[in-house]
Each structure stands twice: as C-alpha cells, then as structure tokens.
Amino acid sequence: MREEEMALRVDGMKALLTADRTLMSNHRQNEFFGFGATAPPAVVPEWLYKQLFFPPVKTNSGVPVEAPYGLRKVEAQLTNEGFSVLTVDPDHLNRYIDEAEVLGVHVMDPFGLGPASTTFARILRTGETYTAKYFRTLLEKPEVERAKKRGLKVIVGGPGAWQFKCRPRFLEEHGIDCVVEGEAEKIVGKLFRRALNGDELPRFYEVDVKEIPSLEEIPDIKNPSVNGLVEIGRGCVRGCQFCSVTLRPLRWYPYEKIEKELKVNAEAGVRWGILHAEDVLLYGSKDTQPYREKVLKLHKLAKKYYDGVGWSHTSMAAVASGPELLEKVAEIIVDGNQEWWGAEIGIETGSPELARKIMPAKCHPFRAEDWPEVVKTAAGVMSDSNLIPACTLMVGVPQETEEDIIKTIELVDDLRDFESLIVPLFFVPMGMLKDEDWFRAEDMNPLHEELLVKCLRHSLYWTKKIMANLYSKEGLPALFLNFLSRFFVWRVERKARTIMS
Ligand code: SF4
C-alpha cells in the first residue's frame, strides 16, 4: 500500500485490527513453523527461537504486508460494511491506536491451551507458551492500556476464542470487552457498530448455527494473507468426536472465488501459498471420495498464481483412496520451483478399535478395522508423490486402553521409513467430548512414555533431514539458518534426554 493511500485510510480510522507477534509472522515462509510458537521458552534463547519460528513480518509504515487469513476476512467484511478499518503490526500499534475506537484482536492459542501447547508445556514442565506470552504482552502494551482508559473497546475472535471460557478472569483483568467464537462474517459488523456507538457488548458471543455464513456471505480478502493462505472451503463431513469443526456445514468455494484471493496475494508478490481446508483432497466432494477433475483443476489454478503450493490439511483415507490422484497432483505441484509440499494429517491412533469408537468416518471409504493399513498405504503413496506431512496422534482420549496404545506404538514403528513428522498431542476436550477431562502429564503411564519417545526419535530424525534440505542453499542467510536449525535440533535432543533420564 502506498503512503498516500494509507494516509487516506488512516484519516478518520475507527477500527484497528491486529494479532500478537507469533501470529503476525510468516514463520519463514513455512506455515508449519508456526507450531513452534506453541512451545514454552525452555529449549533455546528467546531471540533465537523468535528468529527461527516467528520473525516479524515485513511492514510498510507499520502496516503488515501479510496478515493472518482470518484477520483479512474480518478486515474485508468490515470494509464491505463501510467501516474505516486498518490492520496493523502489533509492534506499530502506538502509531495508530489514538485514532481507533475499537481494537479487534485475532487469536489462535491465547493461553497455550491448544493440544500442541499443552503437550509441550506439560512434558517440558515449564509455564507460559510463546503464544500465551505474546498475546498477554500485546494487551499489556502501554499504548493499549492508555487507549483503554480513554474508552477503546477490545473485541477478540479467531480459532482460539474457546480458550477464554477457561480463563474468564483474564477478560476483566485485561479489559477485553467481547469474545467472538465461531465464523464471524455475519455478526462482526453488528458488534463493531455497537462498540462504536458506545452500546453494551456481550462478554461472550457464540455464533449460532443460523448465523453461519453461506458461500455468498463470505467476503474475499482484499489484502495479502500470511504465506499466501487461501481458503478453498469450510466444514468437514467426517464427524470425529473430538473435533469442533465437524459441527459446521460443508461449503466448497467455487474456482472464481479462490482465484480472486490467489490474485490478491500474487499481485502483492506473495508467490508461495497454502490451500486451506480440513481435507484439501476432498475439494468439491460432498462425501469422502475425492472428486478427481475438481482437485486437478484446483491445483492447476493455484500453480497459475503461485510458484509453490502447500496444503493445510488432508486425510489418510482420502490419500489412500486415490493413489493415482495424488501422483497427478504431484505432477502439477512439483516442478523447478518446488521439490515437495507439506500438509497436516491426523493419524490419531493406530488402534482399529479406538478408531471405530471415536472417528469411524475418518476411515471412510475404508472400514475402521483397516485403519492401520489405510495409514500405511497412504504413507507409501505420499512418499512416492513427495508429500511430507506433519502427522498428529492423540494421547489420552477418554476411551483409550493399554491395548490401543500398544497398537499405536506398533504403527509408529511401521512408519519408521516414512519421511514425516509424527507429533503426539495430549487430549484436549473439544467437540462432542468437550465435557471430558483434560489429559495431563501426570496421567501418563509407561506405554504413553514409550509412545512419546518413539515419536520424538522419529520426528527428530526426519526434522534434521528436512531442515538440512530447506537450508542447503548457498549464501550467508541460508548458512545462518542452517546453523540455527541444527543448533535448535541439538538443544531439543539434549533437553529430551534430560527429561527422559
Ligand atoms: S477429519 Fe479432521 S476436521 Fe474432520 S471431523 Fe475429523 S478431526 Fe475434524
């Protein structure tokens, strides 16, 4: 954005949007490095950690060149409704906050209560995660406190909004006026208008099913998103008991809508991007079978605008059900610009019995009884197609038995040669299991410990290889990053040995 354009928008600006430092970063152009911020400050010095996992995003007069996708959607919605709105980097709030009457803050993991954070924090036996620390310090900035005193209203929302229910006192202590949980497009304007008019705001606003936006009601982003992330759809049909996404309806964006957002990023110079959906391989499908032509057309479209394309998520079952399709996708994605691509995939368990109880549809079109074989087949297909996933396992689900954990350990053993990360996550009560108890480090039995050690060994082994590849280029910055990444892995190994001895 040019200086004159910005001056026009800042003039009379009423609504300011931001996110904490861990979110207002492109994580070295690798979305999955964002997970690094869910760790507590324990392994390497904070300055080094920040450099590796969440260095500040580029700004233009304090306005970020890229911002989190969710924040861009809110920015677009408010702009469409006629608000004067500006998204600002958290370290440059001071410059603009005196003009603002409402501050909207995007949150992902504001108290470090997400599955990745709780697992890290409990294993490392340390306190506040980076995500929690930087969210807290954002609200404790002198300029924010000063603005609060003169009447600035603070509204927070985003995927981590559920965590405020576990920390209600924080709202009072840090002057948060309203927390929005759910897809906010249809109600965010109403709330910002109330705030600007000085009307009372609800402390918690849970978006009702009737308020979930249809495809036509979801605006297109107007400014670039972090790592060129663009949504291709919302919702999921698999209905896993431990997941909250499943409560939302399935909507796939048409190509034209996706193309508009790809263009916004590409025209701003963002040439690497992520296709975001709960299962990218199911794009355009109403059930659990990939729709071949639609998936291929989607990837050709993405590659028209981006040099490199990655996925947010896919599923083992979708990969295993169409080996030939993944090969075809790889032929489109992998070229002179990119050798591989990543995605996050939930394995969750190696036990067919547990899969049948908590996620029967995650295995479709296969049977839950065949789940470990489905995972192994998918692993082979991904290896052949250069897709390197970050896989997650769930530890301590309420129905889990020792037999289930043994089956999961066996599956991790079988995946030894699969180039991937395997990350165990402690169970966090969500979705249909939201009333169950959290799983704590104290609840771990020797089998859980064995599983965690195996996952750590697997992930460290492959992390070393992946990082060496990522930073193998010549030049000083690459050399520096190579050194930092090796140092980081070495420190994690040392710390892990201390904890496990
Ligand atoms: S497949 Fe993933 S997004 Fe869908 S319900 Fe299961 S955990 Fe949630």
Side-chain angles (χ1 to χ4, degrees), residues 17-161:
L17 301 176
T18 195
D20 71 64
R21 178 77 287 138
T22 64
L23 294 173
M24 200 68 89
S25 167
N26 68 10
H27 317 289
R28 304 216 149 277
Q29 294 190 319
N30 192 328
E31 194 67 9
F32 296 104
F33 275 23
F35 274 111
T38 59
V43 180
V44 290
E46 186 164 334
W47 67 267
L48 191 154
Y49 204 85
K50 199 169 157 184
Q51 269 311 310
L52 261 182
F53 292 101
F54 49 93
V57 74
K58 273 192 199 143
T59 58
N60 183 354
S61 304
V63 174
V65 174
E66 301 165 48
Y69 185 81
L71 205 57
R72 289 299 195 206
K73 281 290 196 208
V74 170
E75 179 191 75
Q77 181 65 36
L78 292 175
T79 306
N80 289 352
E81 291 191 39
F83 286 87
S84 180
V85 56
L86 187 71
T87 300
V88 174
D89 182 88
D91 293 337
H92 295 82
L93 275 173
N94 202 15
R95 196 164 174 170
Y96 300 102
I97 203 159
D98 290 341
E99 304 288 326
E101 289 175 32
V102 194
L103 177 66
V105 184
H106 176 73
V107 291
M108 189 71 88
D109 188 24
F111 302 110
L113 298 177
S117 315
T118 44
T119 311
F120 267 130
R122 282 164 189 177
I123 292 174
L124 294 171
R125 299 188 187 100
T126 48
E128 200 175 33
T129 59
Y130 284 112
T131 53
K133 178 179 174 180
Y134 281 89
F135 172 65
R136 181 177 52 74
T137 51
L138 169 67
L139 294 174
E140 290 172 358
K141 279 177 184 282
E143 58 270 34
V144 177
E145 289 184 344
R146 191 181 67 230
K148 281 292 307 169
K149 281 195 188 121
R150 66 152 174 88
L152 176 90
K153 296 275 189 256
V154 178
I155 300 178
V156 301

Side-chain angles (χ1 to χ4, degrees), residues 412-424:
V412 174
D413 277 337
D414 290 343
L415 295 176
R416 197 178 306 115
D417 298 329
F418 173 37
E419 187 169 7
S420 59
L421 306 185
I422 302 182
V423 185

Side-chain angles (χ1 to χ4, degrees), residues 317-351:
V319 172
S321 69
E324 178 267 349
L325 175 57
L326 201 72
E327 279 169 29
K328 289 279 171 215
V329 170
E331 282 172 19
I332 299 169
I333 289 187
V334 178
D335 57 14
N337 293 315
Q338 81 177 107
E339 291 172 11
W340 59 278
W341 82 102
E344 190 190 329
I345 307 187
I347 296 176
E348 321 301 4
T349 178
S351 160

Side-chain angles (χ1 to χ4, degrees), residues 236-240 242-246 278 315 348 362:
C236 176
V237 292
R238 295 195 187 268
C240 304
F242 47 83
C243 175
S244 48
V245 173
T246 201
E278 302 309 332
S315 64
E348 321 301 4
K362 192 155 188 142

Side-chain angles (χ1 to χ4, degrees), residues 273-286:
I274 293 172
L275 301 177
H276 183 279
E278 302 309 332
D279 195 340
V280 172
L281 261 186
L282 291 187
Y283 174 70
S285 167
K286 288 196 176 70

